[in-house]
mmCIF file of all heavy atoms in Angstrom:
data_model
loop_
_atom_site.group_PDB
_atom_site.id
_atom_site.type_symbol
_atom_site.label_atom_id
_atom_site.label_comp_id
_atom_site.label_asym_id
_atom_site.label_seq_id
_atom_site.Cartn_x
_atom_site.Cartn_y
_atom_site.Cartn_z
ATOM 1 N N PHE A 6 62.171 -138.687 132.117
ATOM 2 C CA PHE A 6 60.999 -139.230 132.787
ATOM 3 C C PHE A 6 60.416 -138.224 133.786
ATOM 4 O O PHE A 6 59.473 -138.525 134.496
ATOM 5 C CB PHE A 6 61.355 -140.540 133.497
ATOM 6 C CG PHE A 6 61.791 -141.612 132.549
ATOM 7 C CD1 PHE A 6 63.135 -141.882 132.361
ATOM 8 C CD2 PHE A 6 60.858 -142.339 131.819
ATOM 9 C CE1 PHE A 6 63.545 -142.864 131.485
ATOM 10 C CE2 PHE A 6 61.269 -143.322 130.932
ATOM 11 C CZ PHE A 6 62.608 -143.582 130.763
ATOM 12 N N ILE A 13 70.233 -130.372 133.044
ATOM 13 C CA ILE A 13 71.217 -131.314 132.510
ATOM 14 C C ILE A 13 72.602 -130.881 132.971
ATOM 15 O O ILE A 13 72.961 -129.703 132.848
ATOM 16 C CB ILE A 13 71.171 -131.361 130.965
ATOM 17 C CG1 ILE A 13 69.829 -131.927 130.490
ATOM 18 C CG2 ILE A 13 72.310 -132.221 130.416
ATOM 19 C CD1 ILE A 13 69.699 -131.965 128.986
ATOM 20 N N LEU A 33 61.547 -127.677 111.480
ATOM 21 C CA LEU A 33 62.516 -127.122 110.546
ATOM 22 C C LEU A 33 61.881 -126.912 109.186
ATOM 23 O O LEU A 33 61.067 -127.719 108.734
ATOM 24 C CB LEU A 33 63.718 -128.055 110.418
ATOM 25 C CG LEU A 33 64.439 -128.397 111.732
ATOM 26 C CD1 LEU A 33 65.555 -129.385 111.466
ATOM 27 C CD2 LEU A 33 64.971 -127.149 112.407
ATOM 28 N N ASN A 61 54.001 -128.607 98.956
ATOM 29 C CA ASN A 61 54.380 -127.330 98.359
ATOM 30 C C ASN A 61 55.892 -127.177 98.222
ATOM 31 O O ASN A 61 56.396 -126.072 97.999
ATOM 32 C CB ASN A 61 53.822 -126.175 99.197
ATOM 33 C CG ASN A 61 54.448 -126.116 100.585
ATOM 34 O OD1 ASN A 61 55.004 -127.101 101.079
ATOM 35 N ND2 ASN A 61 54.364 -124.949 101.214
ATOM 36 N N ASP A 84 71.654 -128.762 98.043
ATOM 37 C CA ASP A 84 72.100 -129.629 99.137
ATOM 38 C C ASP A 84 71.013 -130.639 99.477
ATOM 39 O O ASP A 84 69.965 -130.296 100.012
ATOM 40 C CB ASP A 84 72.429 -128.766 100.353
ATOM 41 C CG ASP A 84 73.155 -129.551 101.442
ATOM 42 O OD1 ASP A 84 73.175 -130.786 101.369
ATOM 43 O OD2 ASP A 84 73.697 -128.917 102.367
ATOM 44 N N LEU A 85 71.266 -131.913 99.161
ATOM 45 C CA LEU A 85 70.331 -133.000 99.468
ATOM 46 C C LEU A 85 70.873 -133.921 100.555
ATOM 47 O O LEU A 85 70.346 -135.022 100.742
ATOM 48 C CB LEU A 85 70.032 -133.825 98.203
ATOM 49 C CG LEU A 85 69.304 -133.117 97.066
ATOM 50 C CD1 LEU A 85 69.078 -134.091 95.916
ATOM 51 C CD2 LEU A 85 67.974 -132.548 97.534
ATOM 52 N N CYS A 98 58.843 -132.625 90.205
ATOM 53 C CA CYS A 98 58.587 -131.216 89.932
ATOM 54 C C CYS A 98 59.869 -130.395 90.096
ATOM 55 O O CYS A 98 60.168 -129.525 89.270
ATOM 56 C CB CYS A 98 57.484 -130.705 90.846
ATOM 57 S SG CYS A 98 57.031 -128.983 90.572
ATOM 58 N N PHE A 103 64.938 -127.590 86.843
ATOM 59 C CA PHE A 103 66.303 -127.543 86.331
ATOM 60 C C PHE A 103 66.435 -128.166 84.938
ATOM 61 O O PHE A 103 67.362 -127.827 84.196
ATOM 62 C CB PHE A 103 67.248 -128.251 87.295
ATOM 63 C CG PHE A 103 67.326 -127.607 88.643
ATOM 64 C CD1 PHE A 103 66.637 -128.141 89.719
ATOM 65 C CD2 PHE A 103 68.066 -126.452 88.839
ATOM 66 C CE1 PHE A 103 66.698 -127.541 90.979
ATOM 67 C CE2 PHE A 103 68.132 -125.843 90.084
ATOM 68 C CZ PHE A 103 67.444 -126.392 91.159
ATOM 69 N N ASN A 129 52.020 -138.404 87.471
ATOM 70 C CA ASN A 129 52.150 -137.873 86.130
ATOM 71 C C ASN A 129 53.076 -138.801 85.360
ATOM 72 O O ASN A 129 54.294 -138.644 85.372
ATOM 73 C CB ASN A 129 52.730 -136.455 86.168
ATOM 74 C CG ASN A 129 52.957 -135.903 84.781
ATOM 75 O OD1 ASN A 129 52.261 -136.275 83.846
ATOM 76 N ND2 ASN A 129 53.932 -135.012 84.647
ATOM 77 N N ASN A 133 54.610 -147.408 79.070
ATOM 78 C CA ASN A 133 55.243 -147.931 77.876
ATOM 79 C C ASN A 133 54.296 -148.871 77.152
ATOM 80 O O ASN A 133 53.378 -149.439 77.730
ATOM 81 C CB ASN A 133 56.526 -148.694 78.250
ATOM 82 C CG ASN A 133 57.618 -147.756 78.724
ATOM 83 O OD1 ASN A 133 57.634 -146.587 78.356
ATOM 84 N ND2 ASN A 133 58.509 -148.276 79.545
ATOM 85 N N THR A 144 59.376 -135.285 83.410
ATOM 86 C CA THR A 144 59.246 -133.969 84.029
ATOM 87 C C THR A 144 58.077 -133.234 83.396
ATOM 88 O O THR A 144 57.775 -133.409 82.211
ATOM 89 C CB THR A 144 60.533 -133.159 83.856
ATOM 90 O OG1 THR A 144 60.871 -133.088 82.461
ATOM 91 C CG2 THR A 144 61.685 -133.799 84.625
ATOM 92 N N THR A 150 65.457 -122.215 85.739
ATOM 93 C CA THR A 150 66.785 -121.611 85.743
ATOM 94 C C THR A 150 67.724 -122.400 84.841
ATOM 95 O O THR A 150 67.571 -123.618 84.686
ATOM 96 C CB THR A 150 67.373 -121.548 87.161
ATOM 97 O OG1 THR A 150 68.660 -120.927 87.121
ATOM 98 C CG2 THR A 150 67.510 -122.932 87.763
ATOM 99 N N LEU A 154 74.792 -125.857 88.017
ATOM 100 C CA LEU A 154 74.255 -126.514 89.207
ATOM 101 C C LEU A 154 75.233 -127.548 89.741
ATOM 102 O O LEU A 154 75.759 -128.371 88.992
ATOM 103 C CB LEU A 154 72.922 -127.191 88.868
ATOM 104 C CG LEU A 154 72.214 -127.963 89.979
ATOM 105 C CD1 LEU A 154 71.782 -127.025 91.096
ATOM 106 C CD2 LEU A 154 71.000 -128.700 89.411
ATOM 107 N N GLU A 157 74.877 -131.758 96.263
ATOM 108 C CA GLU A 157 75.581 -132.515 97.296
ATOM 109 C C GLU A 157 74.682 -133.608 97.873
ATOM 110 O O GLU A 157 73.502 -133.371 98.156
ATOM 111 C CB GLU A 157 76.039 -131.592 98.418
ATOM 112 C CG GLU A 157 77.196 -130.691 98.029
ATOM 113 C CD GLU A 157 77.833 -130.045 99.231
ATOM 114 O OE1 GLU A 157 78.513 -130.758 100.013
ATOM 115 O OE2 GLU A 157 77.647 -128.837 99.410
ATOM 116 N N ALA A 166 64.839 -138.294 96.998
ATOM 117 C CA ALA A 166 65.999 -137.419 96.858
ATOM 118 C C ALA A 166 67.019 -138.047 95.909
ATOM 119 O O ALA A 166 67.659 -137.351 95.113
ATOM 120 C CB ALA A 166 66.629 -137.144 98.214
ATOM 121 N N ASP A 175 72.158 -138.010 85.238
ATOM 122 C CA ASP A 175 72.056 -138.704 83.954
ATOM 123 C C ASP A 175 71.835 -137.744 82.794
ATOM 124 O O ASP A 175 72.297 -137.995 81.676
ATOM 125 C CB ASP A 175 70.916 -139.734 84.002
ATOM 126 C CG ASP A 175 71.299 -140.968 84.800
ATOM 127 O OD1 ASP A 175 72.470 -141.072 85.217
ATOM 128 O OD2 ASP A 175 70.419 -141.824 85.018
ATOM 129 N N HIS A 176 71.128 -136.648 83.033
ATOM 130 C CA HIS A 176 70.912 -135.654 81.980
ATOM 131 C C HIS A 176 72.041 -134.620 81.942
ATOM 132 O O HIS A 176 71.944 -133.632 81.209
ATOM 133 C CB HIS A 176 69.567 -134.954 82.191
ATOM 134 C CG HIS A 176 68.390 -135.811 81.884
ATOM 135 N ND1 HIS A 176 68.029 -136.160 80.599
ATOM 136 C CD2 HIS A 176 67.478 -136.418 82.707
ATOM 137 C CE1 HIS A 176 66.943 -136.930 80.631
ATOM 138 N NE2 HIS A 176 66.589 -137.108 81.890
ATOM 139 N N GLY A 190 65.787 -147.952 96.420
ATOM 140 C CA GLY A 190 65.187 -147.897 95.095
ATOM 141 C C GLY A 190 63.880 -148.653 95.011
ATOM 142 O O GLY A 190 63.611 -149.350 94.030
ATOM 143 N N PRO A 202 38.859 -148.691 107.646
ATOM 144 C CA PRO A 202 39.830 -147.609 107.874
ATOM 145 C C PRO A 202 40.699 -147.810 109.110
ATOM 146 O O PRO A 202 41.657 -147.067 109.307
ATOM 147 C CB PRO A 202 38.939 -146.369 108.018
ATOM 148 C CG PRO A 202 37.626 -146.896 108.476
ATOM 149 C CD PRO A 202 37.475 -148.240 107.814
#
Side-chain angles (χ1 to χ4, degrees):
F6 297 100
I13 295 178
L33 304 177
N61 66 340
D84 191 347
L85 295 181
C98 182
F103 297 102
N129 177 28
N133 290 334
T144 55
T150 181
L154 179 65
E157 288 194 71
D175 285 354
H176 288 288

